[in-house]
Amino acid sequence: QVQLVESGGGSVQAGGSLTLACTASESIYSNQYMGWFRQAPGKEREGVAATYRDGASYYNYYVDPVKGRFTMFRDNFKKTLYLKMTDLNAEDTATYYCASAQQGITYYNRFSPSAYSYWGQGTQVTVSS
């Protein structure tokens, strides 16, 4: 049963932009925590951005390398979480994954892949210089 589906990856030149989408089943989308992760060839999976839902409020967090360049936003009707990526560079090349968790996420592990229970299949982003 597929619960998280990413889309929007592709190839782009350095300085370009892409917007990734993560469409979730209703039960998964209602989880309090969702995040974007990436994994480059030969490297470990790393957190990129995390979002926390508190009632009707959402709090977004970004790792330092992407602050000011990546932005998350939601379409609750479509049960979709987006990651808009601008000013891309070769270091952003990776497979990007969407993930979700019902509980267990704190300020200290919000970017840790091991803290998340549900994962999508990933979408490839390639940035050429």
Side-chain angles (χ1 to χ4, degrees):
Q1 182 179 356
V2 178
Q3 296 179 310
L4 287 166
V5 180
E6 300 96 336
S7 62
S11 298
V12 64
Q13 289 190 329
S17 302
L18 281 174
T19 298
L20 307 183
C22 171
T23 300
S25 62
E26 184 161 359
S27 61
I28 296 298
Y29 191 78
S30 65
N31 286 344
Q32 283 187 298
Y33 308 95
M34 296 186 73
W36 284 98
F37 297 79
R38 65 186 181 186
Q39 188 166 17
K43 294 188 176 181
E44 294 187 353
R45 191 169 300 188
E46 62 179 5
V48 174
T51 180
Y52 166 65
R53 178 180 61 81
D54 183 6
S57 299
Y58 296 94
Y59 302 90
N60 294 337
Y61 306 95
Y62 305 90
V63 295
D64 286 345
V66 308
K67 279 182 181 177
R69 300 190 299 122
F70 290 13
T71 305
M72 279 187 299
F73 58 98
R74 293 173 178 255
D75 184 330
N76 291 332
F77 181 76
K78 294 182 178 179
K79 303 292 188 288
T80 299
L81 175 69
Y82 297 91
L83 181 69
K84 181 177 181 180
M85 308 183 294
T86 64
D87 194 21
L88 287 162
N89 57 62
E91 287 69 40
D92 296 316
T93 294
T95 300
Y96 283 72
Y97 298 89
C98 176
S100 180
Q102 290 178 310
Q103 58 187 4
I105 307 294
T106 69
Y107 177 85
Y108 300 100
N109 70 359
R110 64 195 190 281
F111 297 128
S112 175
S114 63
Y116 290 76
S117 306
Y118 305 96
W119 291 86
Q121 82 290 349
T123 185
Q124 177 66 37
V125 172
T126 303
V127 184
S128 57
S129 56

